[in-house]
Amino acid sequence: MTSLTIYTPAGVLAKAAPLKLAAKRLKTLGFDVSIDDAALAKHQRFGGDDDLRLDAIHRVARARPGVALASRGGYGLTRLLDRLDWTLLARSVESGTRWVGYSDLTALQMGLLAHAKAPTWWGPLACDDFGRDELDEVTPDCFAEAMSGALEAVGFRTEAGFDGVDVRGLTWGGNLAMLCSLLGTPHWPKVKGGVLMLEDVAEHPYRVERMLLQLHQAGVLASQKAILLAEFSDWKKSPLDRGFDLKTVVAHLRSLVDVPILTGFPFGHVPTKVTVPFGVKAHLAVQGRDAFLGWQEGHAHHRHDDGHEHGHDHAGHDHDH
């Protein structure tokens, strides 16, 4: 049975109920679940003050569970980046700990890649996913399979026009706003020829475009093998948009860079999300409108190994913008 520790590195948990529900569901999936002692700590909008959350992360790293699953994102990891013991965290990864999350966890994932070339996992959060009232079946199934080591690929439907795309590169990226906040800092991994995965929430398309243009103008986008756009959810239209939307943003971006930009990747601040390795060599292949992102799971802790495209289609949904 895989040991799994839930900890709170960023935003505060307003209630204990989602945490208890998440632990119950994860136990049902076969995990040996423990909850960090400080998981329900509160300080302003944070899950405890900076020292407490820093200690929690280091405590989990020293314990080296099979899975280190953040309770939620929110905001808070940026405050800790200059103080985190990256060597300690990297050693936990080498010992088999899989650090899983998204959103604010992007800062931790990018930092580990920048400082130690250590892989993590782009996947669900304990409370925001396993603690929600209704749990989409794809999310827990994909997570459990990924954590067991059985998952080698995920499939999804993308837009027409990319048939024949076949590239290999390092998976990286995360929350778009978090990425832009890290650009120019020591915590930014300089990845060339990668597969850049992006998502965000509550950001109007013009803000999404502005952040994407920042990455473009910094030379990041053109140096990748492919860009996977996941969900950009929960934004409100403005009467000033006059037809400007996410499709507009993607079209403009495609006019600027030659790198394949695929939409429909099943991830983000939405109920349905896959779990994929972050910081490993992967293989992206497109046949018609069917896209596959694969990796060699046996080497998921070694970033220079090539991935394979064989695996399971966990999300054959149409997520076109």
Short mmCIF file of all heavy atoms in Angstrom, two decimals, residues 159-226:
data_model
loop_
_atom_site.label_atom_id
_atom_site.label_comp_id
_atom_site.label_asym_id
_atom_site.label_seq_id
_atom_site.Cartn_x
_atom_site.Cartn_y
_atom_site.Cartn_z
N GLU A 159 -7.84 20.17 -31.57
CA GLU A 159 -8.39 20.75 -32.79
C GLU A 159 -7.80 20.07 -34.04
O GLU A 159 -6.72 19.49 -33.98
CB GLU A 159 -8.07 22.24 -32.85
CG GLU A 159 -8.76 23.08 -31.81
CD GLU A 159 -8.24 24.50 -31.83
OE1 GLU A 159 -8.78 25.30 -32.62
OE2 GLU A 159 -7.32 24.82 -31.08
N ALA A 160 -8.51 20.18 -35.13
CA ALA A 160 -7.99 19.67 -36.39
C ALA A 160 -6.80 20.51 -36.83
O ALA A 160 -6.66 21.67 -36.45
CB ALA A 160 -9.09 19.71 -37.45
N GLY A 161 -5.95 19.90 -37.65
CA GLY A 161 -4.83 20.65 -38.20
C GLY A 161 -3.48 20.26 -37.65
O GLY A 161 -2.46 20.84 -38.05
N PHE A 162 -3.45 19.30 -36.71
CA PHE A 162 -2.17 18.92 -36.10
C PHE A 162 -1.81 17.46 -36.32
O PHE A 162 -0.93 16.93 -35.65
CB PHE A 162 -2.20 19.26 -34.60
CG PHE A 162 -2.33 20.73 -34.33
CD1 PHE A 162 -3.57 21.30 -34.10
CD2 PHE A 162 -1.22 21.56 -34.37
CE1 PHE A 162 -3.71 22.66 -33.89
CE2 PHE A 162 -1.34 22.92 -34.16
CZ PHE A 162 -2.59 23.48 -33.91
N ASP A 163 -2.52 16.83 -37.24
CA ASP A 163 -2.24 15.44 -37.57
C ASP A 163 -0.77 15.27 -37.98
O ASP A 163 -0.26 16.04 -38.78
CB ASP A 163 -3.15 14.97 -38.72
CG ASP A 163 -2.93 13.52 -39.08
OD1 ASP A 163 -2.78 12.70 -38.16
OD2 ASP A 163 -2.88 13.21 -40.29
N GLY A 164 -0.11 14.29 -37.37
CA GLY A 164 1.28 14.05 -37.72
C GLY A 164 2.29 14.69 -36.79
O GLY A 164 3.50 14.41 -36.89
N VAL A 165 1.84 15.56 -35.89
CA VAL A 165 2.77 16.13 -34.91
C VAL A 165 3.37 14.99 -34.10
O VAL A 165 2.66 14.11 -33.60
CB VAL A 165 2.06 17.13 -33.97
CG1 VAL A 165 2.93 17.47 -32.76
CG2 VAL A 165 1.71 18.40 -34.72
N ASP A 166 4.67 14.96 -33.99
CA ASP A 166 5.37 13.88 -33.28
C ASP A 166 6.65 14.47 -32.70
O ASP A 166 7.64 14.64 -33.41
CB ASP A 166 5.67 12.73 -34.24
CG ASP A 166 6.09 11.46 -33.51
OD1 ASP A 166 7.01 11.55 -32.67
OD2 ASP A 166 5.50 10.41 -33.78
N VAL A 167 6.64 14.80 -31.43
CA VAL A 167 7.78 15.46 -30.80
C VAL A 167 8.09 14.83 -29.45
O VAL A 167 7.23 14.20 -28.83
CB VAL A 167 7.54 16.98 -30.60
CG1 VAL A 167 7.30 17.67 -31.93
CG2 VAL A 167 6.35 17.23 -29.66
N ARG A 168 9.31 15.01 -29.02
CA ARG A 168 9.73 14.58 -27.68
C ARG A 168 10.34 15.78 -26.96
O ARG A 168 11.09 16.55 -27.56
CB ARG A 168 10.76 13.44 -27.77
CG ARG A 168 10.20 12.15 -28.37
CD ARG A 168 11.28 11.09 -28.50
NE ARG A 168 10.79 9.94 -29.24
CZ ARG A 168 10.20 8.88 -28.70
NH1 ARG A 168 10.02 8.85 -27.38
NH2 ARG A 168 9.78 7.88 -29.43
N GLY A 169 10.02 15.91 -25.69
CA GLY A 169 10.56 17.02 -24.94
C GLY A 169 10.20 16.92 -23.48
O GLY A 169 9.35 16.11 -23.08
N LEU A 170 10.83 17.74 -22.67
CA LEU A 170 10.60 17.74 -21.22
C LEU A 170 9.25 18.38 -20.90
O LEU A 170 8.97 19.50 -21.35
CB LEU A 170 11.72 18.52 -20.54
CG LEU A 170 11.90 18.28 -19.04
CD1 LEU A 170 12.58 16.94 -18.81
CD2 LEU A 170 12.74 19.40 -18.44
N THR A 171 8.42 17.69 -20.13
CA THR A 171 7.14 18.28 -19.70
C THR A 171 7.41 19.29 -18.59
O THR A 171 8.13 19.02 -17.64
CB THR A 171 6.18 17.20 -19.19
OG1 THR A 171 6.81 16.47 -18.12
CG2 THR A 171 5.79 16.24 -20.29
N TRP A 172 6.78 20.45 -18.71
CA TRP A 172 6.93 21.48 -17.68
C TRP A 172 5.86 22.52 -17.89
O TRP A 172 5.04 22.42 -18.80
CB TRP A 172 8.34 22.10 -17.74
CG TRP A 172 8.59 22.99 -18.92
CD1 TRP A 172 8.53 22.65 -20.24
CD2 TRP A 172 8.93 24.39 -18.88
NE1 TRP A 172 8.83 23.74 -21.04
CE2 TRP A 172 9.08 24.81 -20.23
CE3 TRP A 172 9.14 25.30 -17.85
CZ2 TRP A 172 9.43 26.12 -20.56
CZ3 TRP A 172 9.48 26.61 -18.18
CH2 TRP A 172 9.62 27.01 -19.51
N GLY A 173 5.81 23.53 -17.01
CA GLY A 173 4.82 24.60 -17.14
C GLY A 173 4.01 24.76 -15.88
O GLY A 173 4.55 24.95 -14.81
N GLY A 174 2.67 24.66 -16.03
CA GLY A 174 1.80 24.81 -14.87
C GLY A 174 0.86 25.98 -15.00
O GLY A 174 0.41 26.33 -16.10
N ASN A 175 0.59 26.62 -13.89
CA ASN A 175 -0.31 27.76 -13.87
C ASN A 175 0.36 28.96 -14.53
O ASN A 175 1.46 29.34 -14.15
CB ASN A 175 -0.70 28.08 -12.42
CG ASN A 175 -1.63 29.26 -12.32
OD1 ASN A 175 -1.18 30.38 -12.15
ND2 ASN A 175 -2.92 29.02 -12.46
N LEU A 176 -0.32 29.55 -15.51
CA LEU A 176 0.29 30.60 -16.31
C LEU A 176 0.71 31.82 -15.48
O LEU A 176 1.81 32.36 -15.66
CB LEU A 176 -0.69 31.02 -17.42
CG LEU A 176 -0.24 32.11 -18.37
CD1 LEU A 176 1.08 31.75 -19.08
CD2 LEU A 176 -1.33 32.41 -19.40
N ALA A 177 -0.16 32.27 -14.58
CA ALA A 177 0.18 33.43 -13.75
C ALA A 177 1.40 33.13 -12.87
O ALA A 177 2.26 34.00 -12.67
CB ALA A 177 -1.01 33.83 -12.89
N MET A 178 1.46 31.91 -12.35
CA MET A 178 2.60 31.53 -11.51
C MET A 178 3.89 31.51 -12.34
O MET A 178 4.94 31.94 -11.87
CB MET A 178 2.36 30.16 -10.89
CG MET A 178 1.26 30.12 -9.85
SD MET A 178 1.55 31.26 -8.47
CE MET A 178 3.12 30.64 -7.86
N LEU A 179 3.79 31.01 -13.56
CA LEU A 179 4.98 30.97 -14.42
C LEU A 179 5.53 32.37 -14.64
O LEU A 179 6.73 32.61 -14.51
CB LEU A 179 4.64 30.36 -15.79
CG LEU A 179 4.39 28.86 -15.88
CD1 LEU A 179 4.41 28.43 -17.34
CD2 LEU A 179 5.39 28.06 -15.11
N CYS A 180 4.63 33.28 -14.97
CA CYS A 180 5.08 34.65 -15.23
C CYS A 180 5.70 35.29 -13.99
O CYS A 180 6.63 36.10 -14.11
CB CYS A 180 3.92 35.49 -15.76
SG CYS A 180 3.45 35.03 -17.45
N SER A 181 5.21 34.92 -12.82
CA SER A 181 5.77 35.48 -11.58
C SER A 181 7.17 34.95 -11.30
O SER A 181 7.93 35.56 -10.54
CB SER A 181 4.85 35.16 -10.39
OG SER A 181 4.96 33.81 -10.00
N LEU A 182 7.53 33.82 -11.90
CA LEU A 182 8.84 33.21 -11.66
C LEU A 182 9.88 33.61 -12.70
O LEU A 182 11.08 33.45 -12.47
CB LEU A 182 8.71 31.69 -11.66
CG LEU A 182 7.90 31.07 -10.52
CD1 LEU A 182 7.68 29.58 -10.78
CD2 LEU A 182 8.59 31.29 -9.19
N LEU A 183 9.41 34.13 -13.83
CA LEU A 183 10.33 34.49 -14.91
C LEU A 183 11.37 35.49 -14.42
O LEU A 183 11.04 36.50 -13.81
CB LEU A 183 9.52 35.09 -16.07
CG LEU A 183 10.19 35.18 -17.43
CD1 LEU A 183 10.58 33.80 -17.95
CD2 LEU A 183 9.27 35.88 -18.42
N GLY A 184 12.65 35.19 -14.66
CA GLY A 184 13.72 36.09 -14.23
C GLY A 184 14.23 35.85 -12.83
O GLY A 184 15.15 36.53 -12.38
N THR A 185 13.64 34.87 -12.14
CA THR A 185 14.10 34.53 -10.78
C THR A 185 14.99 33.28 -10.83
O THR A 185 15.02 32.57 -11.84
CB THR A 185 12.91 34.24 -9.85
OG1 THR A 185 12.34 32.95 -10.18
CG2 THR A 185 11.84 35.33 -9.97
N PRO A 186 15.69 32.98 -9.73
CA PRO A 186 16.52 31.76 -9.70
C PRO A 186 15.68 30.48 -9.74
O PRO A 186 16.24 29.39 -9.89
CB PRO A 186 17.26 31.87 -8.36
CG PRO A 186 17.14 33.29 -7.94
CD PRO A 186 15.84 33.78 -8.50
N HIS A 187 14.38 30.63 -9.59
CA HIS A 187 13.50 29.46 -9.52
C HIS A 187 12.88 29.11 -10.87
O HIS A 187 11.95 28.31 -10.94
CB HIS A 187 12.41 29.71 -8.47
CG HIS A 187 12.95 30.29 -7.20
ND1 HIS A 187 13.84 29.62 -6.39
CD2 HIS A 187 12.76 31.51 -6.61
CE1 HIS A 187 14.17 30.39 -5.36
NE2 HIS A 187 13.53 31.53 -5.48
N TRP A 188 13.40 29.72 -11.92
CA TRP A 188 12.90 29.47 -13.27
C TRP A 188 13.81 28.46 -13.97
O TRP A 188 14.99 28.74 -14.19
CB TRP A 188 12.86 30.77 -14.07
CG TRP A 188 12.44 30.58 -15.50
CD1 TRP A 188 13.26 30.31 -16.57
CD2 TRP A 188 11.11 30.60 -16.02
NE1 TRP A 188 12.51 30.19 -17.72
CE2 TRP A 188 11.19 30.36 -17.41
CE3 TRP A 188 9.85 30.82 -15.44
CZ2 TRP A 188 10.07 30.31 -18.22
CZ3 TRP A 188 8.73 30.78 -16.25
CH2 TRP A 188 8.84 30.53 -17.62
N PRO A 189 13.29 27.29 -14.37
CA PRO A 189 14.11 26.33 -15.10
C PRO A 189 14.21 26.73 -16.57
O PRO A 189 13.20 26.98 -17.21
CB PRO A 189 13.34 25.01 -14.94
CG PRO A 189 11.92 25.43 -14.76
CD PRO A 189 11.94 26.78 -14.09
N LYS A 190 15.41 26.79 -17.07
CA LYS A 190 15.61 27.21 -18.46
C LYS A 190 15.46 26.00 -19.38
O LYS A 190 16.45 25.35 -19.75
CB LYS A 190 16.97 27.87 -18.62
CG LYS A 190 17.10 29.16 -17.81
CD LYS A 190 18.50 29.77 -17.94
CE LYS A 190 18.59 31.10 -17.23
NZ LYS A 190 18.39 31.00 -15.78
N VAL A 191 14.23 25.68 -19.73
CA VAL A 191 13.93 24.49 -20.53
C VAL A 191 13.85 24.86 -22.00
O VAL A 191 13.06 25.71 -22.41
CB VAL A 191 12.59 23.85 -20.09
CG1 VAL A 191 12.27 22.64 -20.96
CG2 VAL A 191 12.65 23.44 -18.62
N LYS A 192 14.66 24.20 -22.79
CA LYS A 192 14.62 24.35 -24.25
C LYS A 192 14.09 23.05 -24.84
O LYS A 192 14.42 21.97 -24.37
CB LYS A 192 16.02 24.63 -24.81
CG LYS A 192 16.73 25.82 -24.19
CD LYS A 192 16.08 27.14 -24.58
CE LYS A 192 16.88 28.32 -24.01
NZ LYS A 192 16.22 29.61 -24.29
N GLY A 193 13.30 23.15 -25.89
CA GLY A 193 12.81 21.95 -26.55
C GLY A 193 11.86 21.13 -25.69
O GLY A 193 11.82 19.91 -25.80
N GLY A 194 11.08 21.80 -24.86
CA GLY A 194 10.17 21.11 -23.97
C GLY A 194 8.74 21.05 -24.49
O GLY A 194 8.42 21.59 -25.55
N VAL A 195 7.91 20.36 -23.73
CA VAL A 195 6.47 20.35 -23.97
C VAL A 195 5.86 21.18 -22.85
O VAL A 195 5.77 20.74 -21.70
CB VAL A 195 5.89 18.92 -23.97
CG1 VAL A 195 4.38 18.96 -24.12
CG2 VAL A 195 6.52 18.09 -25.09
N LEU A 196 5.48 22.41 -23.17
CA LEU A 196 5.01 23.38 -22.18
C LEU A 196 3.51 23.24 -21.97
O LEU A 196 2.72 23.41 -22.90
CB LEU A 196 5.36 24.80 -22.65
CG LEU A 196 4.95 25.96 -21.75
CD1 LEU A 196 5.67 25.89 -20.40
CD2 LEU A 196 5.24 27.30 -22.44
N MET A 197 3.10 22.91 -20.72
CA MET A 197 1.69 22.70 -20.38
C MET A 197 1.20 23.89 -19.55
O MET A 197 1.83 24.26 -18.56
CB MET A 197 1.55 21.40 -19.58
CG MET A 197 2.27 20.21 -20.20
SD MET A 197 2.14 18.66 -19.24
CE MET A 197 3.06 19.09 -17.74
N LEU A 198 0.06 24.47 -19.94
CA LEU A 198 -0.41 25.70 -19.30
C LEU A 198 -1.89 25.64 -18.95
O LEU A 198 -2.70 25.08 -19.69
CB LEU A 198 -0.17 26.90 -20.22
CG LEU A 198 1.28 27.15 -20.66
CD1 LEU A 198 1.32 28.20 -21.76
CD2 LEU A 198 2.12 27.60 -19.47
N GLU A 199 -2.24 26.26 -17.81
CA GLU A 199 -3.65 26.40 -17.41
C GLU A 199 -3.76 27.64 -16.54
O GLU A 199 -2.77 28.17 -16.05
CB GLU A 199 -4.12 25.17 -16.63
CG GLU A 199 -3.39 24.89 -15.30
CD GLU A 199 -3.93 25.67 -14.10
OE1 GLU A 199 -5.12 26.04 -14.10
OE2 GLU A 199 -3.15 25.90 -13.16
N ASP A 200 -5.02 28.10 -16.34
CA ASP A 200 -5.25 29.19 -15.39
C ASP A 200 -6.74 29.29 -15.08
O ASP A 200 -7.57 28.62 -15.72
CB ASP A 200 -4.72 30.52 -15.89
CG ASP A 200 -4.11 31.35 -14.76
OD1 ASP A 200 -4.70 31.35 -13.65
OD2 ASP A 200 -3.06 31.97 -14.97
N VAL A 201 -7.06 30.11 -14.10
CA VAL A 201 -8.45 30.25 -13.67
C VAL A 201 -8.75 31.71 -13.37
O VAL A 201 -7.88 32.45 -12.90
CB VAL A 201 -8.72 29.36 -12.42
CG1 VAL A 201 -7.86 29.82 -11.24
CG2 VAL A 201 -10.20 29.37 -12.05
N ALA A 202 -9.96 32.12 -13.69
CA ALA A 202 -10.44 33.47 -13.39
C ALA A 202 -9.56 34.56 -14.00
O ALA A 202 -9.42 35.65 -13.42
CB ALA A 202 -10.56 33.67 -11.87
N GLU A 203 -8.97 34.27 -15.13
CA GLU A 203 -8.18 35.27 -15.85
C GLU A 203 -8.87 35.53 -17.19
O GLU A 203 -9.04 34.63 -18.00
CB GLU A 203 -6.75 34.78 -16.09
CG GLU A 203 -5.93 34.54 -14.83
CD GLU A 203 -5.45 35.83 -14.19
OE1 GLU A 203 -5.83 36.92 -14.66
OE2 GLU A 203 -4.69 35.74 -13.20
N HIS A 204 -9.25 36.77 -17.43
CA HIS A 204 -9.89 37.14 -18.69
C HIS A 204 -8.95 36.84 -19.85
O HIS A 204 -7.71 36.93 -19.69
CB HIS A 204 -10.27 38.62 -18.67
CG HIS A 204 -11.13 39.03 -19.81
ND1 HIS A 204 -10.61 39.26 -21.07
CD2 HIS A 204 -12.47 39.24 -19.91
CE1 HIS A 204 -11.60 39.60 -21.89
NE2 HIS A 204 -12.73 39.59 -21.21
N PRO A 205 -9.48 36.47 -21.01
CA PRO A 205 -8.62 36.18 -22.16
C PRO A 205 -7.56 37.24 -22.47
O PRO A 205 -6.46 36.90 -22.89
CB PRO A 205 -9.61 36.01 -23.30
CG PRO A 205 -10.83 35.45 -22.64
CD PRO A 205 -10.89 36.14 -21.30
N TYR A 206 -7.87 38.52 -22.25
CA TYR A 206 -6.85 39.54 -22.56
C TYR A 206 -5.68 39.43 -21.58
O TYR A 206 -4.52 39.68 -21.94
CB TYR A 206 -7.43 40.95 -22.58
CG TYR A 206 -7.57 41.64 -21.25
CD1 TYR A 206 -6.50 42.31 -20.66
CD2 TYR A 206 -8.80 41.63 -20.57
CE1 TYR A 206 -6.64 42.95 -19.44
CE2 TYR A 206 -8.95 42.28 -19.36
CZ TYR A 206 -7.87 42.92 -18.79
OH TYR A 206 -8.00 43.55 -17.58
N ARG A 207 -5.97 39.01 -20.35
CA ARG A 207 -4.90 38.82 -19.37
C ARG A 207 -4.10 37.56 -19.71
O ARG A 207 -2.87 37.53 -19.56
CB ARG A 207 -5.47 38.73 -17.96
CG ARG A 207 -6.13 40.04 -17.49
CD ARG A 207 -6.82 39.85 -16.14
NE ARG A 207 -5.88 39.51 -15.09
CZ ARG A 207 -5.24 40.41 -14.33
NH1 ARG A 207 -5.45 41.71 -14.54
NH2 ARG A 207 -4.41 40.04 -13.40
N VAL A 208 -4.81 36.53 -20.16
CA VAL A 208 -4.13 35.30 -20.60
C VAL A 208 -3.19 35.63 -21.77
O VAL A 208 -2.04 35.21 -21.79
CB VAL A 208 -5.16 34.22 -21.02
CG1 VAL A 208 -4.46 33.03 -21.68
CG2 VAL A 208 -5.98 33.76 -19.81
N GLU A 209 -3.71 36.42 -22.73
CA GLU A 209 -2.87 36.80 -23.87
C GLU A 209 -1.66 37.60 -23.43
O GLU A 209 -0.53 37.37 -23.91
CB GLU A 209 -3.69 37.61 -24.87
CG GLU A 209 -2.85 38.05 -26.07
CD GLU A 209 -3.67 38.75 -27.13
OE1 GLU A 209 -4.48 38.06 -27.78
OE2 GLU A 209 -3.50 39.97 -27.31
N ARG A 210 -1.87 38.51 -22.51
CA ARG A 210 -0.75 39.35 -22.05
C ARG A 210 0.35 38.51 -21.40
O ARG A 210 1.54 38.73 -21.64
CB ARG A 210 -1.27 40.40 -21.06
CG ARG A 210 -0.21 41.41 -20.63
CD ARG A 210 -0.85 42.59 -19.93
NE ARG A 210 -1.59 42.19 -18.74
CZ ARG A 210 -2.51 42.96 -18.14
NH1 ARG A 210 -2.81 44.13 -18.66
NH2 ARG A 210 -3.12 42.54 -17.06
N MET A 211 -0.06 37.51 -20.61
CA MET A 211 0.93 36.64 -19.97
C MET A 211 1.63 35.74 -20.99
O MET A 211 2.84 35.52 -20.92
CB MET A 211 0.27 35.81 -18.87
CG MET A 211 -0.12 36.64 -17.65
SD MET A 211 -0.76 35.67 -16.26
CE MET A 211 -2.43 35.29 -16.80
N LEU A 212 0.86 35.24 -21.95
CA LEU A 212 1.46 34.42 -23.00
C LEU A 212 2.44 35.24 -23.84
O LEU A 212 3.51 34.74 -24.23
CB LEU A 212 0.38 33.83 -23.90
CG LEU A 212 -0.44 32.68 -23.28
CD1 LEU A 212 -1.67 32.39 -24.14
CD2 LEU A 212 0.41 31.43 -23.12
N LEU A 213 2.09 36.49 -24.09
CA LEU A 213 3.00 37.36 -24.85
C LEU A 213 4.27 37.67 -24.05
O LEU A 213 5.34 37.83 -24.63
CB LEU A 213 2.29 38.65 -25.25
CG LEU A 213 1.24 38.50 -26.35
CD1 LEU A 213 0.53 39.83 -26.60
CD2 LEU A 213 1.87 37.99 -27.64
N GLN A 214 4.13 37.74 -22.74
CA GLN A 214 5.33 37.93 -21.91
C GLN A 214 6.29 36.74 -22.09
O GLN A 214 7.49 36.93 -22.28
CB GLN A 214 4.96 38.07 -20.43
CG GLN A 214 6.18 38.31 -19.54
CD GLN A 214 5.83 38.37 -18.07
OE1 GLN A 214 4.69 38.16 -17.67
NE2 GLN A 214 6.81 38.65 -17.23
N LEU A 215 5.73 35.52 -22.05
CA LEU A 215 6.56 34.34 -22.26
C LEU A 215 7.15 34.33 -23.67
O LEU A 215 8.30 33.96 -23.87
CB LEU A 215 5.75 33.07 -22.02
CG LEU A 215 5.25 32.82 -20.59
CD1 LEU A 215 4.50 31.50 -20.52
CD2 LEU A 215 6.41 32.83 -19.59
N HIS A 216 6.33 34.74 -24.64
CA HIS A 216 6.81 34.79 -26.03
C HIS A 216 7.94 35.80 -26.18
O HIS A 216 8.99 35.50 -26.77
CB HIS A 216 5.65 35.15 -26.96
CG HIS A 216 6.08 35.51 -28.34
ND1 HIS A 216 6.79 34.65 -29.15
CD2 HIS A 216 5.93 36.66 -29.06
CE1 HIS A 216 7.05 35.25 -30.30
NE2 HIS A 216 6.54 36.46 -30.27
N GLN A 217 7.74 36.98 -25.63
CA GLN A 217 8.73 38.04 -25.78
C GLN A 217 10.01 37.76 -24.99
O GLN A 217 11.07 38.32 -25.28
CB GLN A 217 8.12 39.39 -25.39
CG GLN A 217 7.06 39.85 -26.40
CD GLN A 217 6.08 40.87 -25.86
OE1 GLN A 217 6.21 41.34 -24.72
NE2 GLN A 217 5.09 41.22 -26.66
N ALA A 218 9.90 36.86 -24.02
CA ALA A 218 11.08 36.44 -23.26
C ALA A 218 11.80 35.28 -23.96
O ALA A 218 12.80 34.77 -23.46
CB ALA A 218 10.67 36.01 -21.85
N GLY A 219 11.26 34.85 -25.10
CA GLY A 219 11.90 33.79 -25.86
C GLY A 219 11.54 32.38 -25.42
O GLY A 219 12.13 31.41 -25.91
N VAL A 220 10.57 32.25 -24.53
CA VAL A 220 10.23 30.94 -23.98
C VAL A 220 9.43 30.08 -24.97
O VAL A 220 9.74 28.91 -25.18
CB VAL A 220 9.44 31.09 -22.67
CG1 VAL A 220 8.98 29.73 -22.15
CG2 VAL A 220 10.27 31.81 -21.62
N LEU A 221 8.42 30.65 -25.58
CA LEU A 221 7.50 29.86 -26.41
C LEU A 221 8.18 29.31 -27.66
O LEU A 221 8.01 28.12 -27.99
CB LEU A 221 6.27 30.69 -26.79
CG LEU A 221 5.42 31.22 -25.63
CD1 LEU A 221 4.15 31.87 -26.17
CD2 LEU A 221 5.07 30.12 -24.64
N ALA A 222 8.92 30.13 -28.35
CA ALA A 222 9.52 29.70 -29.61
C ALA A 222 10.58 28.62 -29.42
O ALA A 222 10.93 27.92 -30.37
CB ALA A 222 10.12 30.90 -30.33
N SER A 223 11.08 28.48 -28.20
CA SER A 223 12.14 27.49 -27.95
C SER A 223 11.60 26.13 -27.51
O SER A 223 12.37 25.23 -27.18
CB SER A 223 13.11 28.02 -26.87
OG SER A 223 12.45 28.15 -25.63
N GLN A 224 10.26 25.96 -27.53
CA GLN A 224 9.66 24.70 -27.13
C GLN A 224 9.35 23.82 -28.35
O GLN A 224 9.27 24.29 -29.47
CB GLN A 224 8.38 24.96 -26.33
CG GLN A 224 8.56 25.84 -25.11
CD GLN A 224 9.67 25.38 -24.18
OE1 GLN A 224 9.70 24.22 -23.77
NE2 GLN A 224 10.58 26.27 -23.86
N LYS A 225 9.13 22.53 -28.09
CA LYS A 225 8.73 21.60 -29.14
C LYS A 225 7.22 21.65 -29.37
O LYS A 225 6.73 21.44 -30.47
CB LYS A 225 9.13 20.17 -28.77
CG LYS A 225 10.63 19.92 -28.78
CD LYS A 225 11.15 19.76 -30.19
CE LYS A 225 12.61 19.33 -30.18
NZ LYS A 225 12.82 17.97 -29.63
N ALA A 226 6.49 21.91 -28.28
CA ALA A 226 5.03 21.99 -28.37
C ALA A 226 4.50 22.71 -27.14
O ALA A 226 5.15 22.75 -26.10
CB ALA A 226 4.40 20.60 -28.48
#
